[in-house]
Amino acid sequence: TKIDTRYGYPAGTPLKPKNKGGIFEPWQTSQNCVIGRDSLPEEYSATHCLAKSALHALDRLIYSEKNDNKQWSLVVSFNSPHPPMVSTGKYFDKYWGLRDDFFVPPSVINTSHMKNTPYKSDKNPNIQSVDAVKEWMVSYYALVEEVDHHIGKLLRKLDEAGQTKNTLVIFTSDHGESLGAHGRRGKGTFFEESIRVPLMMRLPDKIPHGKSIDIPTSSIDVFSTILDYTGNEMHDASDGKSLRRFIDESNTN
């Protein structure tokens, strides 16, 4: 950020100071302000490289004689979608042409309700610009689809190895993304956009296909749920509680 004085500006922006003193404001040098299209080929993206490593790890876990008939665990922690919001061209270009049809929440512009909250307005003025938010959404959706593409490859690897029926797959995240809602970016609030995350589980013959649980849950329970479904609940010393009771509808609370 000390070398690139265009840092945080869209491509093609003339070189100029970002305020009267020519000094960067803290929010201007944050990775949260970096949005754009990566000029590198898809195979050089962080998501692609992580997925490639995960596929190799699956091969070792599934086909290694040392792991024959042994339980195994693999955590694949994709960083995307996450700032800096720079996505590979293959996915960015797809959503760039669709941006005019994106739905932008009314709270991007109307933030009067924020007066009754402890949250301050974002210092980045573009957060309350509909056009700027749509450009931001382009990169965000592109990053999401890239992750989705590679998760599909991992699931197909399980299919090819005949491991689908006896493998518990969990897809979740640590937090959401405001994407301009309430005039905010990132996490850091207790609004739904920030705290609501996906939690999807698959274990054929034990978790019914299409089963939906319409109750609040917490990530603290994921570890206990894993131990429960893999027959290791006796080793659970965590503060969580298995969600299996809701899936099996055996909860007595």
Side-chain angles (χ1 to χ4, degrees):
T1 59
K2 293 182 179 179
I3 297 175
D4 185 2
T5 51
R6 290 186 175 85
Y7 187 84
Y9 277 126
T13 300
L15 183 63
K16 59 184 178 181
K18 295 198 173 186
N19 58 30
K20 293 181 180 180
I23 301 173
F24 288 105
E25 296 288 349
W27 67 265
Q28 291 174 316
T29 59
S30 167
Q31 64 175 348
N32 292 295
C33 292
V34 182
I35 303 167
R37 181 189 190 278
D38 198 338
S39 60
L40 293 175
E42 178 190 358
E43 60 268 25
Y44 293 109
S45 75
T47 295
H48 184 279
C49 293
L50 177 60
K52 185 176 181 180
S53 295
L55 287 169
H56 289 323
L58 265 184
D59 280 334
R60 293 194 299 272
L61 290 167
I62 293 173
Y63 297 112
S64 173
E65 294 181 359
K66 294 180 180 180
N67 291 326
D68 189 34
N69 295 322
K70 291 183 179 179
Q71 288 186 330
W72 55 265
S73 175
L74 176 64
V75 177
V76 185
S77 186
F78 291 103
N79 189 57
S80 290
H82 193 281
M85 300 289 189
V86 179
S87 55
T88 186
K90 174 181 177 180
Y91 300 101
F92 183 94
D93 293 344
K94 171 183 176 179
Y95 288 100
W96 184 257
L98 301 172
R99 69 188 186 283
D100 289 340
D101 296 325
F102 288 168
F103 170 77
V104 176
S107 63
V108 168
I109 301 299
N110 183 6
T111 58
S112 57
H113 62 290
M114 296 294 284
K115 294 178 181 179
N116 297 319
T117 74
Y119 307 122
K120 297 180 180 179
S121 298
D122 199 284
K123 293 181 179 180
N124 185 346
N126 288 330
I127 297 300
Q128 288 185 261
S129 164
V130 171
D131 289 340
V133 169
K134 285 184 176 182
E135 290 187 13
W136 183 11
M137 293 166 75
V138 168
S139 288
Y140 187 82
Y141 292 160
L143 291 170
V144 169
E145 182 166 340
E146 184 182 15
V147 170
D148 184 63
H149 169 74
H150 288 289
I151 289 176
K153 285 187 173 182
L154 292 167
L155 295 178
R156 283 194 293 275
K157 174 73 71 172
L158 292 176
D159 290 341
E160 294 165 0
Q163 294 281 335
T164 297
K165 285 192 174 182
N166 63 346
T167 301
L168 172 64
V169 177
I170 297 180
F171 176 81
T172 190
S173 183
D174 54 346
H175 62 80
E177 169 58 56
S178 296
L179 270 181
H182 314 289
R184 301 277 304 185
R185 58 172 169 78
K187 46 184 179 179
T189 72
F190 281 102
F191 289 116
E192 183 175 5
E193 295 86 355
S194 178
I195 66 170
R196 190 169 185 176
V197 298
L199 177 55
M200 294 182 282
M201 296 185 286
R202 187 187 76 175
L203 184 57
D205 298 331
K206 290 189 177 181
I207 298 178
H209 178 73
K211 181 80 172 184
S212 178
I213 308 300
D214 190 23
I215 59 171
T217 60
S218 175
S219 298
I220 196 175
D221 298 322
V222 172
F223 181 66
S224 297
T225 306
I226 294 172
L227 293 179
D228 189 354
Y229 273 112
T230 56
N232 294 292
E233 61 273 15
M234 72 289 293
H235 301 299
D236 189 1
S238 72
D239 293 325
K241 194 172 182 180
S242 174
L243 298 173
R244 187 172 185 173
R245 65 193 191 279
F246 298 118
I247 297 171
D248 295 343
E249 298 182 2
S250 59
N251 186 47
T252 56
N253 292 342

